[in-house]
Amino acid sequence: MNSRPPRPLSVAELDLAAPDGPVLSFRPAPGGPEVGAGDVYALVRLRGRPAATVVGTVPDGEDPAGVLAALARERLARPATPSDAERLAEARGEADAGARGEADAQAPGEADVRARGKTGAAAPPRTSVVVATRERPEQFARALDSLLAQDHPDFEVVVVDNAPRTADTRDLVARKYADRVRYVREDVPGLAAAHNAGVAAVRSEVIAFTDDDVVADPHWLTALAGPFAADPGLGCVTGLILPARLATPAQVLLESHGGFAKGFAPRLYDPARPPADEPLFPFTAGSFGSGANMAFRVEALRRAGGFDPATGTGTAAKGGDDLYAFVAVLSAGHRLRYTPDALVWHHHRETWQDLRNQAYGYGAGLTAYLTATLIRRPALLPALLARVPRGLAHARAVTAERGTAHGDGVPGEHGTRHHPWPASLSRLERRGMLYGPVGYLKARLSTGAPR
């Protein structure tokens, strides 16, 4: 096992004309320093579209773009490994062809969505971007600048100031963004309460959510909202989250074990056709996406009851607000699509204590959202109870498995485990899982949530 602490990496973007084509552009990640010699983590794009990540070491005196382009071409040349679902679908053969054809006619594939976006046949619907914040004006301004630079043709930005202690956020909006964003104050603490305030404030067809510690790619909102125009049965879309910096051991370790990324393969989750490779569906909500990069059809989210205010960062539950919303929308019969074309760069927390808090919060949020689902959606109780033991066993196995490392792993790819996950963090996650139901009930009492 490799016990050396993770070394810092530069973060960059590399755009190729084709998998074996020339370099179109090479630059640092948004706001990052110039890339020179040393270890580099790079997003590989194919004519602007996110396609892969690579990690390489640039020797002194060599061109970083050339070194990373060679690694990128090698990675892109590898054949894609079919998923369990794809293998099962192939094995079913002709027997399921009719059912698949009917369902596919109702749910456009990723190629259809992308083609319509290119031709302009289905322009993205009007979208409201809601970003909640609390006392972090400097990094929040960075996020707002990127949101206001989106290429979406028709959108607005709504700022939700959550339980503010000072007037700093309000003053920042008034001073720098008054004519370009809407300001909403929500005094009930918690990310879910802030998001619900945003839902109540908008009149758009689609609502997108991101965090105050991201930088959004200029095409992010168009890619995130576009699928709703192509598929009327779509209730939610999630997107790709990559690290903006990998400057500390805590940041590298988190990204090495998946971070927030869900990969570069688009995926459609349809409750009418549960994925064969996810027997716990839809309760494996963490595989669908993350709250820093998600959008909903407003009508579908409202009918599903919005976010549970007793979940999320800022409450005793510590998380789970996004997971709850994903399951609520899927349980109402809507489809959920993951698209890697919708990219945000996330500034991971920097310190070891931050990582400890995050590990505990992940565990707590998981079981808090499951508790919320059980209490607020009793009709799901039989299916949930049947799956919870396997789900908890799976989560325990994942945290234990992180103790091993693979030397050739690439940060950002789930399961590569480029660096060993400390046993202490696995224990914290499991402790969080035990605490989650208690935290949710505490938050529920404090928020006066309906019984």
Side-chain angles (χ1 to χ4, degrees):
M1 178 182 296
N2 179 12
S3 59
R4 294 176 299 174
R7 296 186 299 181
L9 298 91
S10 300
V11 182
E13 297 183 73
L14 173 73
D15 196 5
L16 300 178
D20 58 351
V23 174
L24 297 178
S25 66
F26 179 77
R27 58 182 177 270
E34 289 298 319
V35 177
D39 295 336
V40 183
Y41 168 102
L43 165 66
V44 181
R45 298 177 184 263
L46 292 177
R47 292 196 173 275
R49 177 167 293 164
T53 55
V54 295
V55 168
T57 300
V58 179
D60 286 328
E62 292 203 21
D63 176 28
V67 172
L68 292 162
L71 293 171
R73 294 181 188 111
E74 178 184 352
R75 175 166 292 278
L76 294 172
R78 298 177 191 171
T81 303
S83 68
D84 293 339
E86 291 169 331
R87 285 192 289 268
L88 181 58
E90 182 179 357
R92 285 173 175 165
E94 296 294 332
D96 288 343
R100 287 200 303 271
E102 181 180 352
D104 289 341
Q106 298 172 354
E110 189 70 18
D112 299 325
V113 173
R114 286 174 169 172
R116 294 180 190 185
K118 286 182 178 180
T119 61
R126 175 165 173 76
T127 303
S128 297
V129 180
V130 171
V131 54
T133 189
R134 188 170 192 258
E135 307 299 347
R136 301 201 289 188
E138 289 185 5
Q139 69 177 30
F140 181 51
R142 179 182 60 202
L144 273 182
D145 289 341
S146 72
L147 294 175
L148 292 169
Q150 294 297 300
D151 64 10
H152 190 292
D154 186 13
F155 74 98
E156 65 168 349
V157 176
V158 179
V159 172
V160 180
D161 197 1
N162 187 218
R165 297 188 301 265
T166 70
D168 289 351
T169 298
R170 185 189 63 194
D171 292 347
L172 171 70
V173 171
R175 182 178 68 253
K176 189 176 179 182
Y177 303 102
D179 297 330
R180 295 183 290 167
V181 306
R182 284 204 285 146
Y183 175 88
V184 174
R185 175 171 174 147
E186 173 52 63
D187 288 324
V188 176
L191 188 57
H195 283 171
N196 282 338
V199 174
V202 305
R203 297 294 180 268
S204 301
E205 180 181 347
V206 171
I207 185 169
F209 298 92
T210 192
D211 290 349
D212 64 2
D213 53 1
V214 309
V215 174
D217 183 80
H219 190 60
W220 165 70
L221 192 58
T222 298
L224 193 68
F228 290 100
D231 181 1
L234 203 58
C236 179
V237 177
T238 63
L240 177 64
I241 304 173
L242 293 181
R245 301 287 184 276
L246 292 172
T248 71
Q251 291 175 328
V252 176
L253 184 60
L254 175 63
E255 194 61 29
S256 182
H257 289 266
F260 299 93
K262 308 303 178 190
F264 295 91
R267 187 86 188 258
L268 179 68
Y269 296 93
D270 188 342
R273 301 174 63 206
D277 59 341
E278 292 195 18
L280 305 181
F281 178 87
F283 302 110
T284 49
S287 64
F288 305 149
S290 299
N293 192 352
M294 61 182 182
F296 295 85
R297 196 178 299 278
V298 173
E299 181 182 6
L301 182 59
R302 286 174 175 162
R303 286 186 175 180
F307 297 89
D308 186 327
T311 61
T313 303
T315 71
K318 300 187 179 300
D321 52 309
D322 50 352
L323 308 184
Y324 175 86
F326 295 154
V327 172
V329 170
L330 283 165
S331 298
H334 300 283
R335 291 184 282 272
L336 183 153
R337 181 178 291 279
Y338 168 74
T339 174
D341 288 351
L343 166 66
V344 298
W345 300 89
H346 183 262
H347 285 263
H348 296 347
R349 302 298 175 88
E350 297 180 354
T351 70
W352 180 254
Q353 186 57 48
D354 288 334
L355 192 57
R356 287 174 55 86
N357 294 343
Q358 204 160 12
Y360 186 85
Y362 283 167
L366 170 64
T367 51
Y369 115 77
L370 289 172
T371 305
T373 300
L374 186 152
I375 290 176
R376 297 193 62 180
R377 300 182 176 276
L380 294 177
L381 180 61
L384 178 59
L385 291 180
R387 290 166 171 78
V388 162
R390 295 175 64 189
L392 294 179
H394 172 72
R396 182 182 177 88
V398 168
T399 58
E401 187 182 50
R402 284 175 170 167
T404 61
H406 291 235
D408 61 349
V410 177
E413 291 188 354
H414 282 279
T416 56
R417 303 185 300 281
H418 189 62
H419 300 285
W421 186 257
S424 61
L425 293 182
S426 293
R427 288 193 295 271
L428 276 171
E429 285 184 275
R430 291 194 287 270
R431 284 173 54 191
M433 290 167 65
L434 292 174
Y435 165 81
V438 176
Y440 174 75
L441 294 175
K442 286 182 177 179
R444 190 173 171 84
L445 290 173
S446 67
T447 60
R451 298 180 183 275

